[in-house]
Amino acid sequence: MGQSSLIRPAGEAVTETVPSERATGVRRRSNWARRLSRDKLLVGIGLPGAIALVLFQYVPLLGNVIAFQDYQPYLGFTQAPFVGLQNFSFLWGGDPTFYNALINTLILTIIQTVLVFPVPLVLALLLSSVAGERLKRLLQSVLYMPHFLSWVIVVALFQQMLGNAGMLNTFLIQHNLPQFHIIGVPALFKVLITSQTIWKDAGWGTIIFLAAISQIDQEQYEAAAVDGAGSWRRLWHITLPSLKSLFILLLILRLGNSLNVGFEQIVLQQGPVGRDASEVLDTWVYNNGILGGNWGMSGAVGLVKMVVGIGLVIGANKLAHMFGERGVYEK
Amino acid sequence: MSEAAAMRSTPIFTRRRLLAGAGGLAAMAGATSLVGCSNGVKSANNASVNASVKLPTYVPYTAVKPDLPGTAQGVDNAFRHWPSNNPKAVSEKPGNGQTLTGMANIYYAVPPGPNKNSYWAGLNDRLGVDLQIQMVGNADYATKFPTVIAGNDIPDILQMVVVANFPQLLESKFTPLDEYLAGDAVKDYPNLANIPEFTWKSAVYNGKIYGIPIPRGAIGAYNFIRQDIFEAKGLPTNPKGYNEFIQVTKELTNPKKRTWAFSMIQQPRNFLAAMNNEPNTWREEGGKLTHDYETDEYKQTINDLIAMWKSGVLHPNAFDTAQPFKNLFNAGTCAINAMDGYPGWTQYISDNSSNPNFKLGLMEAYNRAGTGLAHWHDGTGVYSITGLKKQTSKDKIKLILRVLNYLAAPFGTEEYLYRLFGQEGVDHKMSSAGDPVLTKTGQTNTVIPIRYFADAPYTVYQPGRPQDADTQHKYQSVEIPTGIKNPTIGLFSNTAATKNATADAAFTDAVNQIIQGRKPFSDLDTQISTWKSAAGDAMRNEYQDQLQKKGSK
Amino acid sequence: MTTLDQVRGSSRESSRSRKRPVWMEKPSLFVQVIKFIVLLIAIALVIVPFWSVFATSLANKATIDASAGGMVLWPGHGMSLASYQALLSGGVVTRALIISIGITAVGTLLSLAATAGLAYWLSRSRSFAAKPVLMLVLGAVLFSPGLIPSYLLVKQLSLLDSWWSLILPVLVNAFNVIVMRAFFQELPQELFESAAIDGASNLTILTRIVLPLSKAVLAVIGLFYAVGYWNAFFNALIYIQTSDKWPIALILRTFVVNQQSIGGDQVANTQGLPPQLSMEMAILVIATLPILIVYPFIQRHFAKGVMIGAVKG
């Protein structure tokens, strides 16, 4: 009976060799075939999903050839003239607006990773410590509601509540109190964007963590309590370690998305604060590429972001391995 | 993290789609930024070629007499009541059972298809064709358009969006219509001959006629005001001169009561453009062009705007591109709605029908000194153009043109009545004054966007409110004679749609910062030179080249 | 098995009651107060705007006008369901609702099946091709395909104007696969070992052991997919040419007139319709409501302690 792939724990190197074969080529080929036949059910189960994914995500990638072309929709990919690396010239062209956008992007991504990313975890811990299932469910349902709103609506809501002509400021004006200006103030733009992101998605983000917390074996808590551990120590020694690998996985994926800090949310609010304060990579491409019908350049930026994103994920994953974590994928 | 999931699970307008190839959100219609070719791709699109085009002969329709006739200069016809005489404008059914496809944007809730929509079924019957229409919400049209082009799924009749390299797009995929419409050939389609020559200019590219224009009047926009609010405060509805104008804006502003004079920055900007005698985008003098941004009058306007912003008469969200200005006008928050598309008159009346105090008025534009009217900046005369896809059979083109001819039946004809109001008794009922009033069924069913395939010249008519015809006609008659046109209409520039879109957006952004006081006024000169070297000078040279070839007009 | 039942039984009991588990001590007053305040603020920050959305959806023109054309905190005099009536009456909407329900149900089921299968395969990291395919999936998390290439592909596959174009291109979400895989990998190895010793095939293990123990992640990912399908309008906009086939999300989008239309086009028939803002808010409520209703049922699957007996027994 062949060794089932299920039993071997993750991380252990494959040491199995097939004793009968001597020639390398033959061994490799039949090793490959052996593993396929051993795992054929497994592959069969997973294949439909894999095909759907590869088909609809990777095949259209071929369209990124426009990054090397002077492309227009009516020409099609085959007829658009080839221009080599010309569309990538924004990287070395020295356009100050590009570098401004890049810096804004990086600052926002750092703020978001530090401030926005942990919030769902903290909220999830808070929620799970609430006694009473019904109350817990109610609270969760309320907190994730903003997720369903489009950015157009979220921006409008913020305007209505906190805008300079909004409910809060109208109240303040009518009572001769100093006003609260956060919208339309360039210096506070990043604060505004961050608050909006937290408001919109923190609640939704708790769902995954709550599901993970629910997987934790209650007996561990019971045993710890019996041993005299208080709630903080139980949190530190049981809950958090159980969530660690999920948290790191999400963090790595988040890092891979570093250059994507928002498009629709920002482009809707650029007008009042001006581009210096608000331009990020995606809006820069929109303002400088798409608006002028420069599809090739926007394709080029897309490619660059993809390459950078992959590099970041690989790097972050290696970093995770150095700390002994599993990361997104093992070695 | 979950943002990624969120992004995928609600695939609304994701930025990556946009980046890797979504629609260029080029301004729709209204902006006839006639596009030229880009970097070396050849196109025959230049003025000498286009100047020699024979436009369709203008044969105005006379069988229905307007209560208030329009003028050759560009005042629209106006009707106080629905004319009692509704002649037939089309004698024969255009089609004979063929199927035609079309795509256009829609401004209403999508109606049911022909098997549940008696109006649509009736229309198909009258046309003698099976009209299959893809309706796209107006907010999404610019996104959908490039996919249709790129995927080569072009319908027979297509409402066009002016995108980059427009002339090449037309040449490669659409049918030139000269043999069917140029000169007297258009007399085969009398309702299309009813479209004025000036309007046809916007449909000419590469020396050929490439589409049917959807006509709009020369006035283009109105300065709407809440007459009721003005009267309540005892304010003059036609302030003469800058000082009186500023006084009015101050009276209208009361942050504690949440009222401001203007809702969006473009509005006082455009209003002042007329008042300060800025050119209509370009000023032409003896074959030489000066752009609005380069003039002293423009600087005057910017100074005025800085003062206005500082004094607080502009809504705090005036620089927000998504400002719901229509809502604000309807609510009375901002009593002036300057330079808004004039067909909106009907909408404002309709939106506010439940408010008995609502009174819609129009503000005339005076010059700065107040001594007389300012020059009105005429509109482009066109909403959009309709392209006919390349077909293998000439008969099919003729069929489409016959259908479009039917759809362009003039105001007051029997066909027009059906097109806008549907079947009597089902879709509309006649009021006691003889005006058609849509029933609930009619409201739902008659909104098929065929008016963006072809339409008659715009006619002022407000059912049940004869006084509106007089108000609008009077306003147009007063303003149109002062009108100045954009001298580059009918010309094209290579740079205009490619580089200028970006350069102009950057310029506007910087000017907005200057208006809000974040950058000094002295910055304006730097911005103007940046704009000039990025796009402005190139555009000027291209336009001037063509003006010379055309000879002075 | 008895142990398992007992454990299941007792955890169900405790989830219904409001008592805290035996071993958990009562937190100090200070901690309770802090928790209370933080949660209260969080809730208020969400509830106030949403309440405003709901109130505005019920408000009439006069109330909205009085609020400078903006949102209101109280529906006020003359509140009515007019917006909902305007939106939900008419055959177009009824049919679109049915279409959306169908697409959401079918799509979610298929997506869950495909995602679980793929995630399961990839969670067995020694198995054939697991590593390279995992790399592919990871790559897919980091980018989305472009609009025009996707359109051309869908057209190539003859899916234009078909409801399958709303399901297949989004059938598998790479992020969801990664998350599900992580959950599967957290399951104790002993389960698989004992099952393999008993001669169970991969399929049996998946269906009899892994899935029943993964109710939480299946519920969560299912929720993610369901929400995606329900609210999706973009693919319908691009791929569905006949408006009779539109899902509800796209239909609702056409109810709101684009404020920025420079043409300001002729609208002869907003007569008698409720104000735009009110309808926009009603659309929001309609979009959010189904999930709010469904979520508590999903949440029930976050029960703990189900696994314990399985290993011991």
Side-chain angles (χ1 to χ4, degrees), chain B residues 9 108 138 140 144 151 153 325-326 350-352 452, chain C residues 61 151 155 173 228 237 241 253 258-259 265-266 270-271:
Chain B
S9 63
Y108 312 87
N138 64 86
D140 299 319
K144 173 98 186 191
D153 289 315
F325 65 95
K326 292 191 195 285
S350 179
D351 279 348
N352 293 287
Y452 302 111
Chain C
K61 179 165 160 54
Y151 180 85
K155 184 181 150 108
N173 177 319
L237 169 70
Q241 294 151 337
R253 223 174 135 71
N258 182 13
Q259 289 269 335
D265 235 57
Q266 245 171 322
T270 57
Q271 207 124 20

PDB file of all heavy atoms in Angstrom, chain B residues 9 108 138 140 144 151 153 325-326 350-352 452, chain C residues 61 151 155 173 228 237 241 253 258-259 265-266 270-271:
ATOM      1  N   SER B   9     -15.233  40.344  -3.480  1.00  0.00           N
ATOM      2  CA  SER B   9     -16.597  39.890  -3.285  1.00  0.00           C
ATOM      3  C   SER B   9     -17.610  40.956  -3.666  1.00  0.00           C
ATOM      4  O   SER B   9     -18.735  40.662  -3.952  1.00  0.00           O
ATOM      5  CB  SER B   9     -16.821  39.461  -1.832  1.00  0.00           C
ATOM      6  OG  SER B   9     -16.643  40.556  -0.973  1.00  0.00           O
ATOM      7  N   TYR B 108     -33.170  56.659 -16.758  1.00  0.00           N
ATOM      8  CA  TYR B 108     -34.276  56.284 -15.885  1.00  0.00           C
ATOM      9  C   TYR B 108     -34.114  54.844 -15.470  1.00  0.00           C
ATOM     10  O   TYR B 108     -33.228  54.148 -15.914  1.00  0.00           O
ATOM     11  CB  TYR B 108     -35.612  56.388 -16.626  1.00  0.00           C
ATOM     12  CG  TYR B 108     -35.820  57.643 -17.389  1.00  0.00           C
ATOM     13  CD1 TYR B 108     -35.374  57.758 -18.681  1.00  0.00           C
ATOM     14  CD2 TYR B 108     -36.471  58.719 -16.811  1.00  0.00           C
ATOM     15  CE1 TYR B 108     -35.568  58.911 -19.387  1.00  0.00           C
ATOM     16  CE2 TYR B 108     -36.679  59.870 -17.519  1.00  0.00           C
ATOM     17  CZ  TYR B 108     -36.219  59.967 -18.804  1.00  0.00           C
ATOM     18  OH  TYR B 108     -36.428  61.117 -19.512  1.00  0.00           O
ATOM     19  N   ASN B 138     -26.672  55.647 -17.333  1.00  0.00           N
ATOM     20  CA  ASN B 138     -25.796  56.704 -17.821  1.00  0.00           C
ATOM     21  C   ASN B 138     -24.492  56.782 -17.044  1.00  0.00           C
ATOM     22  O   ASN B 138     -23.461  57.164 -17.578  1.00  0.00           O
ATOM     23  CB  ASN B 138     -26.515  58.049 -17.782  1.00  0.00           C
ATOM     24  CG  ASN B 138     -26.853  58.443 -16.369  1.00  0.00           C
ATOM     25  OD1 ASN B 138     -26.041  59.030 -15.660  1.00  0.00           O
ATOM     26  ND2 ASN B 138     -28.043  58.107 -15.920  1.00  0.00           N
ATOM     27  N   ASP B 140     -22.716  54.397 -16.139  1.00  0.00           N
ATOM     28  CA  ASP B 140     -21.813  53.300 -16.519  1.00  0.00           C
ATOM     29  C   ASP B 140     -21.491  53.289 -18.000  1.00  0.00           C
ATOM     30  O   ASP B 140     -20.756  52.431 -18.466  1.00  0.00           O
ATOM     31  CB  ASP B 140     -22.460  51.949 -16.163  1.00  0.00           C
ATOM     32  CG  ASP B 140     -22.709  51.829 -14.684  1.00  0.00           C
ATOM     33  OD1 ASP B 140     -21.838  52.245 -13.906  1.00  0.00           O
ATOM     34  OD2 ASP B 140     -23.774  51.311 -14.301  1.00  0.00           O
ATOM     35  N   LYS B 144     -18.775  50.863 -20.264  1.00  0.00           N
ATOM     36  CA  LYS B 144     -19.225  49.789 -21.144  1.00  0.00           C
ATOM     37  C   LYS B 144     -18.734  49.998 -22.578  1.00  0.00           C
ATOM     38  O   LYS B 144     -18.441  49.056 -23.296  1.00  0.00           O
ATOM     39  CB  LYS B 144     -20.763  49.768 -21.123  1.00  0.00           C
ATOM     40  CG  LYS B 144     -21.401  48.844 -22.093  1.00  0.00           C
ATOM     41  CD  LYS B 144     -21.790  47.535 -21.442  1.00  0.00           C
ATOM     42  CE  LYS B 144     -22.312  46.577 -22.500  1.00  0.00           C
ATOM     43  NZ  LYS B 144     -22.926  45.413 -21.998  1.00  0.00           N
ATOM     44  N   GLY B 151     -14.389  44.363 -28.099  1.00  0.00           N
ATOM     45  CA  GLY B 151     -14.879  43.026 -28.336  1.00  0.00           C
ATOM     46  C   GLY B 151     -15.556  42.887 -29.686  1.00  0.00           C
ATOM     47  O   GLY B 151     -16.042  41.824 -30.044  1.00  0.00           O
ATOM     48  N   ASP B 153     -18.336  43.871 -30.613  1.00  0.00           N
ATOM     49  CA  ASP B 153     -19.761  43.549 -30.504  1.00  0.00           C
ATOM     50  C   ASP B 153     -20.568  44.790 -30.760  1.00  0.00           C
ATOM     51  O   ASP B 153     -21.502  45.109 -30.041  1.00  0.00           O
ATOM     52  CB  ASP B 153     -20.073  43.040 -29.084  1.00  0.00           C
ATOM     53  CG  ASP B 153     -19.494  41.682 -28.872  1.00  0.00           C
ATOM     54  OD1 ASP B 153     -19.641  40.838 -29.773  1.00  0.00           O
ATOM     55  OD2 ASP B 153     -18.897  41.466 -27.804  1.00  0.00           O
ATOM     56  N   PHE B 325     -25.677  68.525  -6.833  1.00  0.00           N
ATOM     57  CA  PHE B 325     -26.149  69.904  -6.968  1.00  0.00           C
ATOM     58  C   PHE B 325     -27.643  69.985  -7.287  1.00  0.00           C
ATOM     59  O   PHE B 325     -28.312  70.962  -6.911  1.00  0.00           O
ATOM     60  CB  PHE B 325     -25.319  70.645  -8.026  1.00  0.00           C
ATOM     61  CG  PHE B 325     -25.475  70.111  -9.423  1.00  0.00           C
ATOM     62  CD1 PHE B 325     -26.382  70.687 -10.289  1.00  0.00           C
ATOM     63  CD2 PHE B 325     -24.713  69.051  -9.862  1.00  0.00           C
ATOM     64  CE1 PHE B 325     -26.523  70.214 -11.577  1.00  0.00           C
ATOM     65  CE2 PHE B 325     -24.843  68.562 -11.145  1.00  0.00           C
ATOM     66  CZ  PHE B 325     -25.758  69.151 -12.004  1.00  0.00           C
ATOM     67  N   LYS B 326     -28.164  68.975  -7.987  1.00  0.00           N
ATOM     68  CA  LYS B 326     -29.596  69.027  -8.296  1.00  0.00           C
ATOM     69  C   LYS B 326     -30.426  68.941  -7.021  1.00  0.00           C
ATOM     70  O   LYS B 326     -31.404  69.660  -6.848  1.00  0.00           O
ATOM     71  CB  LYS B 326     -29.967  67.903  -9.260  1.00  0.00           C
ATOM     72  CG  LYS B 326     -29.370  68.090 -10.650  1.00  0.00           C
ATOM     73  CD  LYS B 326     -29.975  67.108 -11.636  1.00  0.00           C
ATOM     74  CE  LYS B 326     -29.163  67.002 -12.908  1.00  0.00           C
ATOM     75  NZ  LYS B 326     -29.315  68.144 -13.806  1.00  0.00           N
ATOM     76  N   SER B 350     -40.580  68.820 -12.660  1.00  0.00           N
ATOM     77  CA  SER B 350     -41.125  67.531 -12.268  1.00  0.00           C
ATOM     78  C   SER B 350     -40.702  67.147 -10.846  1.00  0.00           C
ATOM     79  O   SER B 350     -41.530  66.716 -10.042  1.00  0.00           O
ATOM     80  CB  SER B 350     -40.631  66.504 -13.287  1.00  0.00           C
ATOM     81  OG  SER B 350     -41.081  65.258 -12.963  1.00  0.00           O
ATOM     82  N   ASP B 351     -39.434  67.322 -10.533  1.00  0.00           N
ATOM     83  CA  ASP B 351     -38.928  66.965  -9.207  1.00  0.00           C
ATOM     84  C   ASP B 351     -39.653  67.711  -8.108  1.00  0.00           C
ATOM     85  O   ASP B 351     -39.791  67.229  -6.998  1.00  0.00           O
ATOM     86  CB  ASP B 351     -37.442  67.315  -9.088  1.00  0.00           C
ATOM     87  CG  ASP B 351     -36.540  66.263  -9.706  1.00  0.00           C
ATOM     88  OD1 ASP B 351     -37.044  65.170 -10.013  1.00  0.00           O
ATOM     89  OD2 ASP B 351     -35.341  66.536  -9.874  1.00  0.00           O
ATOM     90  N   ASN B 352     -40.059  68.938  -8.416  1.00  0.00           N
ATOM     91  CA  ASN B 352     -40.597  69.786  -7.360  1.00  0.00           C
ATOM     92  C   ASN B 352     -42.112  69.945  -7.454  1.00  0.00           C
ATOM     93  O   ASN B 352     -42.674  70.872  -6.883  1.00  0.00           O
ATOM     94  CB  ASN B 352     -39.930  71.168  -7.422  1.00  0.00           C
ATOM     95  CG  ASN B 352     -38.465  71.076  -7.064  1.00  0.00           C
ATOM     96  OD1 ASN B 352     -38.114  70.885  -5.909  1.00  0.00           O
ATOM     97  ND2 ASN B 352     -37.611  71.193  -8.059  1.00  0.00           N
ATOM     98  N   TYR B 452     -31.731  58.859 -28.082  1.00  0.00           N
ATOM     99  CA  TYR B 452     -30.296  59.011 -28.293  1.00  0.00           C
ATOM    100  C   TYR B 452     -29.844  58.323 -29.565  1.00  0.00           C
ATOM    101  O   TYR B 452     -28.658  58.264 -29.859  1.00  0.00           O
ATOM    102  CB  TYR B 452     -29.516  58.491 -27.085  1.00  0.00           C
ATOM    103  CG  TYR B 452     -29.913  59.203 -25.824  1.00  0.00           C
ATOM    104  CD1 TYR B 452     -30.605  58.550 -24.822  1.00  0.00           C
ATOM    105  CD2 TYR B 452     -29.647  60.553 -25.669  1.00  0.00           C
ATOM    106  CE1 TYR B 452     -31.015  59.220 -23.687  1.00  0.00           C
ATOM    107  CE2 TYR B 452     -30.047  61.226 -24.534  1.00  0.00           C
ATOM    108  CZ  TYR B 452     -30.734  60.561 -23.550  1.00  0.00           C
ATOM    109  OH  TYR B 452     -31.144  61.213 -22.433  1.00  0.00           O
TER     110      TYR B 452
ATOM    111  N   LYS C  61     -40.201  64.669   0.607  1.00  0.00           N
ATOM    112  CA  LYS C  61     -39.408  65.776   0.062  1.00  0.00           C
ATOM    113  C   LYS C  61     -39.285  66.928   1.040  1.00  0.00           C
ATOM    114  O   LYS C  61     -38.221  67.516   1.192  1.00  0.00           O
ATOM    115  CB  LYS C  61     -40.051  66.251  -1.238  1.00  0.00           C
ATOM    116  CG  LYS C  61     -39.302  67.417  -1.844  1.00  0.00           C
ATOM    117  CD  LYS C  61     -39.715  67.651  -3.273  1.00  0.00           C
ATOM    118  CE  LYS C  61     -39.356  69.052  -3.721  1.00  0.00           C
ATOM    119  NZ  LYS C  61     -37.966  69.383  -3.513  1.00  0.00           N
ATOM    120  N   TYR C 151     -13.291  40.497 -20.932  1.00  0.00           N
ATOM    121  CA  TYR C 151     -14.443  40.537 -21.819  1.00  0.00           C
ATOM    122  C   TYR C 151     -14.216  39.641 -23.026  1.00  0.00           C
ATOM    123  O   TYR C 151     -15.084  38.865 -23.424  1.00  0.00           O
ATOM    124  CB  TYR C 151     -14.693  41.975 -22.265  1.00  0.00           C
ATOM    125  CG  TYR C 151     -15.870  42.137 -23.195  1.00  0.00           C
ATOM    126  CD1 TYR C 151     -17.151  42.281 -22.685  1.00  0.00           C
ATOM    127  CD2 TYR C 151     -15.691  42.136 -24.567  1.00  0.00           C
ATOM    128  CE1 TYR C 151     -18.234  42.425 -23.536  1.00  0.00           C
ATOM    129  CE2 TYR C 151     -16.771  42.275 -25.422  1.00  0.00           C
ATOM    130  CZ  TYR C 151     -18.037  42.433 -24.904  1.00  0.00           C
ATOM    131  OH  TYR C 151     -19.108  42.576 -25.736  1.00  0.00           O
ATOM    132  N   LYS C 155     -16.285  36.300 -24.075  1.00  0.00           N
ATOM    133  CA  LYS C 155     -16.898  36.237 -25.406  1.00  0.00           C
ATOM    134  C   LYS C 155     -16.448  34.986 -26.145  1.00  0.00           C
ATOM    135  O   LYS C 155     -17.255  34.295 -26.759  1.00  0.00           O
ATOM    136  CB  LYS C 155     -16.480  37.482 -26.184  1.00  0.00           C
ATOM    137  CG  LYS C 155     -17.127  37.595 -27.548  1.00  0.00           C
ATOM    138  CD  LYS C 155     -16.629  38.853 -28.228  1.00  0.00           C
ATOM    139  CE  LYS C 155     -16.621  38.649 -29.726  1.00  0.00           C
ATOM    140  NZ  LYS C 155     -17.617  39.348 -30.447  1.00  0.00           N
ATOM    141  N   ASN C 173     -12.389  32.467  -5.722  1.00  0.00           N
ATOM    142  CA  ASN C 173     -11.675  33.651  -5.288  1.00  0.00           C
ATOM    143  C   ASN C 173     -10.399  33.202  -4.590  1.00  0.00           C
ATOM    144  O   ASN C 173     -10.468  32.475  -3.594  1.00  0.00           O
ATOM    145  CB  ASN C 173     -12.591  34.432  -4.345  1.00  0.00           C
ATOM    146  CG  ASN C 173     -11.904  35.644  -3.771  1.00  0.00           C
ATOM    147  OD1 ASN C 173     -10.737  35.598  -3.414  1.00  0.00           O
ATOM    148  ND2 ASN C 173     -12.637  36.717  -3.664  1.00  0.00           N
ATOM    149  N   GLY C 228     -20.900  38.581  -2.338  1.00  0.00           N
ATOM    150  CA  GLY C 228     -20.356  38.971  -3.636  1.00  0.00           C
ATOM    151  C   GLY C 228     -21.369  38.785  -4.748  1.00  0.00           C
ATOM    152  O   GLY C 228     -21.600  39.682  -5.559  1.00  0.00           O
ATOM    153  N   LEU C 237     -23.192  44.295 -15.928  1.00  0.00           N
ATOM    154  CA  LEU C 237     -23.146  45.475 -16.786  1.00  0.00           C
ATOM    155  C   LEU C 237     -22.389  45.177 -18.065  1.00  0.00           C
ATOM    156  O   LEU C 237     -22.786  45.550 -19.163  1.00  0.00           O
ATOM    157  CB  LEU C 237     -22.448  46.616 -16.033  1.00  0.00           C
ATOM    158  CG  LEU C 237     -22.089  47.840 -16.862  1.00  0.00           C
ATOM    159  CD1 LEU C 237     -23.332  48.586 -17.262  1.00  0.00           C
ATOM    160  CD2 LEU C 237     -21.159  48.752 -16.078  1.00  0.00           C
ATOM    161  N   GLN C 241     -26.408  41.561 -22.064  1.00  0.00           N
ATOM    162  CA  GLN C 241     -26.856  42.581 -22.993  1.00  0.00           C
ATOM    163  C   GLN C 241     -28.355  42.845 -22.926  1.00  0.00           C
ATOM    164  O   GLN C 241     -28.810  43.922 -23.257  1.00  0.00           O
ATOM    165  CB  GLN C 241     -26.454  42.184 -24.418  1.00  0.00           C
ATOM    166  CG  GLN C 241     -24.943  42.179 -24.562  1.00  0.00           C
ATOM    167  CD  GLN C 241     -24.461  41.198 -25.604  1.00  0.00           C
ATOM    168  OE1 GLN C 241     -25.154  40.245 -25.920  1.00  0.00           O
ATOM    169  NE2 GLN C 241     -23.283  41.430 -26.144  1.00  0.00           N
ATOM    170  N   ARG C 253     -29.316  50.199  -9.752  1.00  0.00           N
ATOM    171  CA  ARG C 253     -28.388  51.257 -10.110  1.00  0.00           C
ATOM    172  C   ARG C 253     -29.002  52.253 -11.074  1.00  0.00           C
ATOM    173  O   ARG C 253     -28.658  53.429 -11.079  1.00  0.00           O
ATOM    174  CB  ARG C 253     -27.164  50.633 -10.779  1.00  0.00           C
ATOM    175  CG  ARG C 253     -25.884  51.194 -10.344  1.00  0.00           C
ATOM    176  CD  ARG C 253     -24.777  50.389 -10.966  1.00  0.00           C
ATOM    177  NE  ARG C 253     -23.762  51.240 -11.505  1.00  0.00           N
ATOM    178  CZ  ARG C 253     -22.915  51.946 -10.786  1.00  0.00           C
ATOM    179  NH1 ARG C 253     -22.976  51.886  -9.485  1.00  0.00           N
ATOM    180  NH2 ARG C 253     -22.020  52.724 -11.363  1.00  0.00           N
ATOM    181  N   ASN C 258     -27.784  60.189 -12.616  1.00  0.00           N
ATOM    182  CA  ASN C 258     -26.444  60.735 -12.452  1.00  0.00           C
ATOM    183  C   ASN C 258     -26.506  62.246 -12.298  1.00  0.00           C
ATOM    184  O   ASN C 258     -26.928  62.952 -13.183  1.00  0.00           O
ATOM    185  CB  ASN C 258     -25.616  60.345 -13.670  1.00  0.00           C
ATOM    186  CG  ASN C 258     -24.198  60.836 -13.554  1.00  0.00           C
ATOM    187  OD1 ASN C 258     -23.758  61.252 -12.500  1.00  0.00           O
ATOM    188  ND2 ASN C 258     -23.487  60.790 -14.653  1.00  0.00           N
ATOM    189  N   GLN C 259     -26.089  62.719 -11.133  1.00  0.00           N
ATOM    190  CA  GLN C 259     -26.181  64.144 -10.865  1.00  0.00           C
ATOM    191  C   GLN C 259     -25.285  64.957 -11.778  1.00  0.00           C
ATOM    192  O   GLN C 259     -25.502  66.123 -11.987  1.00  0.00           O
ATOM    193  CB  GLN C 259     -25.759  64.408  -9.413  1.00  0.00           C
ATOM    194  CG  GLN C 259     -26.750  63.934  -8.395  1.00  0.00           C
ATOM    195  CD  GLN C 259     -27.756  64.998  -8.025  1.00  0.00           C
ATOM    196  OE1 GLN C 259     -27.490  66.169  -8.154  1.00  0.00           O
ATOM    197  NE2 GLN C 259     -28.911  64.568  -7.572  1.00  0.00           N
ATOM    198  N   ASP C 265     -30.385  65.857 -18.947  1.00  0.00           N
ATOM    199  CA  ASP C 265     -31.338  65.516 -19.978  1.00  0.00           C
ATOM    200  C   ASP C 265     -32.777  65.474 -19.549  1.00  0.00           C
ATOM    201  O   ASP C 265     -33.130  65.400 -18.400  1.00  0.00           O
ATOM    202  CB  ASP C 265     -30.931  64.196 -20.637  1.00  0.00           C
ATOM    203  CG  ASP C 265     -30.821  64.422 -22.114  1.00  0.00           C
ATOM    204  OD1 ASP C 265     -30.049  65.293 -22.488  1.00  0.00           O
ATOM    205  OD2 ASP C 265     -31.551  63.775 -22.855  1.00  0.00           O
ATOM    206  N   GLN C 266     -33.590  65.460 -20.563  1.00  0.00           N
ATOM    207  CA  GLN C 266     -35.021  65.543 -20.380  1.00  0.00           C
ATOM    208  C   GLN C 266     -35.558  64.444 -19.496  1.00  0.00           C
ATOM    209  O   GLN C 266     -35.452  63.278 -19.821  1.00  0.00           O
ATOM    210  CB  GLN C 266     -35.680  65.376 -21.738  1.00  0.00           C
ATOM    211  CG  GLN C 266     -36.409  66.576 -22.197  1.00  0.00           C
ATOM    212  CD  GLN C 266     -36.831  66.405 -23.640  1.00  0.00           C
ATOM    213  OE1 GLN C 266     -36.088  65.856 -24.417  1.00  0.00           O
ATOM    214  NE2 GLN C 266     -38.021  66.851 -23.958  1.00  0.00           N
ATOM    215  N   THR C 270     -40.444  62.240 -13.556  1.00  0.00           N
ATOM    216  CA  THR C 270     -40.165  61.963 -12.150  1.00  0.00           C
ATOM    217  C   THR C 270     -41.344  62.437 -11.320  1.00  0.00           C
ATOM    218  O   THR C 270     -41.298  62.435 -10.101  1.00  0.00           O
ATOM    219  CB  THR C 270     -38.913  62.704 -11.651  1.00  0.00           C
ATOM    220  OG1 THR C 270     -39.089  64.095 -11.876  1.00  0.00           O
ATOM    221  CG2 THR C 270     -37.688  62.205 -12.362  1.00  0.00           C
ATOM    222  N   GLN C 271     -42.382  62.812 -12.022  1.00  0.00           N
ATOM    223  CA  GLN C 271     -43.559  63.299 -11.312  1.00  0.00           C
ATOM    224  C   GLN C 271     -44.100  62.221 -10.396  1.00  0.00           C
ATOM    225  O   GLN C 271     -44.281  61.085 -10.797  1.00  0.00           O
ATOM    226  CB  GLN C 271     -44.643  63.640 -12.337  1.00  0.00           C
ATOM    227  CG  GLN C 271     -45.611  64.689 -11.897  1.00  0.00           C
ATOM    228  CD  GLN C 271     -45.645  65.831 -12.903  1.00  0.00           C
ATOM    229  OE1 GLN C 271     -45.254  65.652 -14.023  1.00  0.00           O
ATOM    230  NE2 GLN C 271     -46.097  66.992 -12.471  1.00  0.00           N
TER     231      GLN C 271
END
